[in-house]
Amino acid sequence: MKKITVAKGDGIGPEIMDATLKIILAAGAEIEIEEIQVGEKVYLSGNTSGIASESWDVIRRNKVFLKAPITTTQGGGYKSLNVTTRKFLGLYSNVRPCLSLHPFIATKHPVMDIVIVRENEEDLYAGIEHQQTDEVVQCLKLISRPGCEKIVRYAFEYAKQYNRKKVTCFTKDNIMKQTDGLFHKVFDEIAKEYPEIENEHWIIDIGAAKMADTPEAFDVIVMPNLYGDVLSDVAAQITGSVGLAGSANIGDECSMFEAIHGSAPRRAGQNVANPSGLLQGAIMMLNHIGQSNVAEKVQNAWLKTLEDGTHTYDIYKEGNSKKQVSTSEFADAVIANLGQKPEILKAVSYANTAAINMPKYIRQATKAKKLVGVDIFVHWSGSNPDELADKVKRIAPSDMKLKMITNRGIKVWPEGFSETFCTDHWRCRFHPVEGVSIGKEEIIQLLSNAVREEIDTIKTENLYEFDGVAAYSLGQGQ
Ligand code: NAD
């Protein structure tokens, strides 16, 4: 008997959770349920995180969390509970299978069977944003080697476990050579450890276009957080309905399972919502906790029910469907089909699908790190870069030199184009003069000179070489 935490959430949440639990318990799931309150009621009671601290204790103790959708209260400084949960619990891997159920669910892509593995903790979702000047705001995109290694390895291990043939990586490393470049590099390194699984990399823009047009060309796709967030919804939608997809959020210690859709408040309390998305999450949970025989039984009964044409309103379509049913009637129909298999859709057979045993991340040997310059970002409302260059040249200590000024990444000094549009946010790059080594003191000197010259510095970025390789981007046009 495995104890799990359950939250029934908001809107249609309680109805679809009741239906889901009824089905999996009827199928023989050996679970003990400990229920907690999360979401709207908790937000409105004045708790901006949407969850009480005692509930965190329950989630952390039971480690496995089945969560219905919640309504994120708009405004008032409320934080998204989903994002908080993923980060607090270290749920680094978001797994979203997207399967077409042609001809029973209308879709333009009858042979689609993709699993999106999305990095779930970092990238632009680190949520580190600042306004720096009147005109410019910034969001830091953080990509780490452990983050990349964990998610890429998870994708290959998942492919191995579920007998999938190929893992594709999507990044934009032709533009973001450091951040997406690291993700791609780690993908290439780890792919070598799985010679039996095909691997490939696509630049995200053409990869996404190809996925939306020819999804049958893909199998498992691994991506950084933002791309994965967007494309997993696209992938789910083109199977015919986002309402049919579930999602697993996996960490080293804890895991959370859910539907990918929201709380559909307009449908709440009417016993009409489709419980399939949450049921798919619950099936992933059963596999994760080693109850794959129950997971298999439920999945095959669910496929059979859809094949029978027993459909809730959202997927009901004249011609494809035979009977429109309520939430609870749908649950009863799945229960009646337990033990049966679909005849036309492919029946599933789960074996060895328990939680993937991931190796602990091992930190690599540190590299020789050398400071080779600094970017000083300046708030300046002038428009002529030559004028700014004359000002900032005066702040360089004797052993450093202004090398370049960019505006939004494009070089505007020396030899900029008069056509380039400039904002009030300027990056001034300084390097030591030939043959000189610098330390942090020179940077402090630069900043202190800037104060003296009344130059408004808003941030600095140190420029490093690691093992002799420059580890920063050049200015565009440099
Ligand atoms: P939604 O997914 O709730 O609804 C989108 C559309 O799909 C609506 O027309 C809805 O009626 C329909 N729909 C969704 N699930 C359905 C189901 N199971 N059966 C039948 N029809 C279904 O998205 P939304 O309207 O943008 O968001 C509503 C609320 O849900 C918001 O507060 C949002 O923040 C929240 N939300 C929560 C989660 C989560 O908890 N994981 C995810 C997304 C959105």
Side-chain angles (χ1 to χ4, degrees):
M1 193 65 72
K2 170 77 191 138
K3 199 165 183 184
I4 62 163
T5 308
V6 164
K8 294 193 175 177
D10 302 315
I12 58 170
E15 299 156 65
I16 59 173
M17 181 60 87
D18 288 343
T20 297
L21 293 175
K22 190 174 174 193
I23 296 168
I24 63 173
L25 289 169
E30 295 193 349
I31 51 170
E32 188 189 327
I33 291 158
E34 186 165 8
E35 198 182 327
I36 57 164
Q37 272 280 349
V38 297
E40 207 166 28
K41 278 202 200 92
V42 186
Y43 281 123
L44 296 178
S45 74
N47 184 329
T48 53
S49 64
I51 179 168
S53 62
E54 309 83 76
S55 300
W56 280 123
D57 298 340
V58 176
I59 293 174
R60 294 170 75 187
R61 193 168 57 237
N62 296 332
K63 305 207 185 299
V64 176
F65 183 20
L66 182 63
K67 189 183 82 52
I70 58 165
T71 302
T72 309
T73 313
Q74 296 295 314
Y78 299 112
K79 293 273 182 223
S80 159
L81 178 61
N82 293 321
V83 178
T84 312
T85 308
R86 287 172 196 155
K87 289 204 194 166
F88 259 156
L89 300 180
L91 309 181
Y92 63 89
S93 179
N94 183 212
V95 184
R96 293 185 175 193
C98 301
L99 172 70
S100 286
L101 299 169
H102 173 80
F104 304 101
I105 306 293
T107 168
K108 294 178 185 127
H109 300 287
V111 284
M112 171 172 178
D113 183 6
I114 289 179
V115 179
I116 306 260
V117 178
R118 162 192 170 195
E119 197 289 317
N120 221 9
E121 291 182 290
E122 46 190 48
D123 191 357
L124 290 158
Y125 288 55
I128 306 174
E129 294 194 299
H130 302 94
Q131 177 162 4
Q132 297 182 322
T133 66
D134 289 320
E135 291 176 341
V136 176
V137 286
Q138 157 190 283
C139 176
L140 281 187
K141 170 158 168 146
L142 291 182
I143 301 275
S144 72
R145 177 167 270 276
C148 296
E149 283 193 12
K150 283 164 77 174
I151 194 65
V152 171
R153 193 176 293 288
Y154 191 90
F156 278 98
E157 285 293 326
Y158 181 94
K160 199 163 112 183
Q161 189 175 44
Y162 284 87
N163 224 348
R164 290 189 168 255
K165 307 288 175 244
K166 182 167 80 174
V167 180
T168 304
C169 174
F170 282 179
T171 72
K172 187 79 183 170
D173 67 335
N174 53 333
I175 303 295
M176 283 160 280
K177 296 188 169 67
Q178 293 292 327
T179 48
D180 284 23
L182 177 61
F183 197 95
H184 186 176
K185 183 167 177 263
V186 169
F187 177 79
D188 287 346
E189 285 169 16
I190 290 182
K192 288 201 187 82
E193 297 177 31
Y194 298 85
E196 71 286 9
I197 299 169
E198 199 188 325
N199 71 81
E200 62 179 9
H201 172 268
W202 289 71
I203 297 293
I204 176 89
D205 38 13
I206 188 62
K210 174 89 175 167
M211 187 197 81
D213 183 58
T214 324
E216 60 274 22
F218 296 102
D219 195 341
V220 175
I221 314 180
V222 64
M223 292 179 245
N225 203 341
L226 176 62
Y227 310 143
D229 190 5
V230 176
L231 289 189
S232 56
D233 269 28
V234 173
Q237 180 66 30
I238 64 175
T239 64
S241 170
V242 271
L244 298 180
S247 151
N249 298 273
I250 310 287
D252 289 331
E253 297 270 323
C254 300
S255 53
M256 174 172 78
F257 301 85
E258 56 188 342
I260 76 165
H261 61 73
S263 58
R266 281 188 309 124
R267 304 288 177 184
Q270 297 157 34
N271 192 25
V272 293
N274 189 346
S276 296
L278 187 59
L279 185 65
Q280 289 302 300
I283 289 168
M284 285 193 262
M285 175 189 80
L286 290 169
N287 273 323
H288 187 80
I289 61 176
Q291 299 188 19
S292 49
N293 53 340
V294 187
E296 182 179 310
K297 201 165 156 189
V298 176
Q299 179 72 349
N300 284 329
W302 176 72
L303 290 168
K304 175 80 170 66
T305 307
L306 294 176
E307 198 176 89
D308 291 342
T310 306
H311 293 169
T312 42
Y313 83 92
D314 55 311
I315 52 170
Y316 185 88
K317 199 162 178 228
E318 214 65 59
N320 288 354
S321 311
K322 294 220 171 64
K323 189 175 172 205
Q324 184 170 327
V325 290
S326 66
T327 311
S328 50
E329 285 167 342
F330 184 82
D332 291 338
V334 176
I335 291 168
N337 279 334
L338 287 170
Q340 297 196 55
K341 287 188 175 164
E343 282 151 30
I344 296 162
L345 293 170
K346 198 164 157 246
V348 296
S349 140
Y350 296 134
N352 309 317
T353 44
I356 295 172
N357 214 344
M358 294 283 290
K360 278 258 173 273
Y361 169 73
I362 300 168
R363 185 168 281 169
Q364 295 190 341
T366 51
K367 294 189 170 134
K369 181 179 171 191
K370 184 176 175 210
L371 185 67
V372 294
V374 65
D375 282 343
I376 307 270
F377 290 76
V378 171
H379 181 179
W380 183 63
S381 0
S383 57
N384 181 353
D386 292 337
E387 213 180 290
L388 179 63
D390 288 343
K391 267 167 88 74
V392 295
K393 271 183 203 166
R394 291 202 292 271
I395 68 173
S398 58
D399 43 6
M400 289 190 84
K401 231 179 137 182
L402 177 68
K403 276 280 161 58
M404 167 186 84
I405 300 178
T406 68
N407 196 294
R408 291 187 297 174
I410 178 89
K411 188 185 74 165
V412 293
W413 182 92
E415 292 153 18
F417 283 17
S418 59
E419 291 87 343
T420 306
F421 181 84
C422 290
T423 66
D424 59 359
H425 185 272
W426 309 79
R427 171 180 58 168
C428 306
R429 176 163 288 181
F430 294 85
H431 282 297
V433 293
E434 195 70 26
V436 172
S437 289
I438 53 160
K440 299 263 171 58
E441 297 76 16
E442 279 76 6
I443 297 175
I444 294 167
Q445 189 64 56
L446 253 170
L447 290 173
S448 128
N449 294 347
V451 174
R452 188 194 65 215
E453 295 289 329
E454 295 184 340
I455 291 170
D456 183 5
T457 56
I458 47 182
K459 80 164 196 163
T460 63
E461 289 286 352
N462 295 349
L463 307 180
Y464 290 109
E465 282 177 4
F466 283 86
D467 280 352
V469 179
Y472 50 88
S473 57
L474 296 179
Q476 271 164 303
Q478 192 185 3

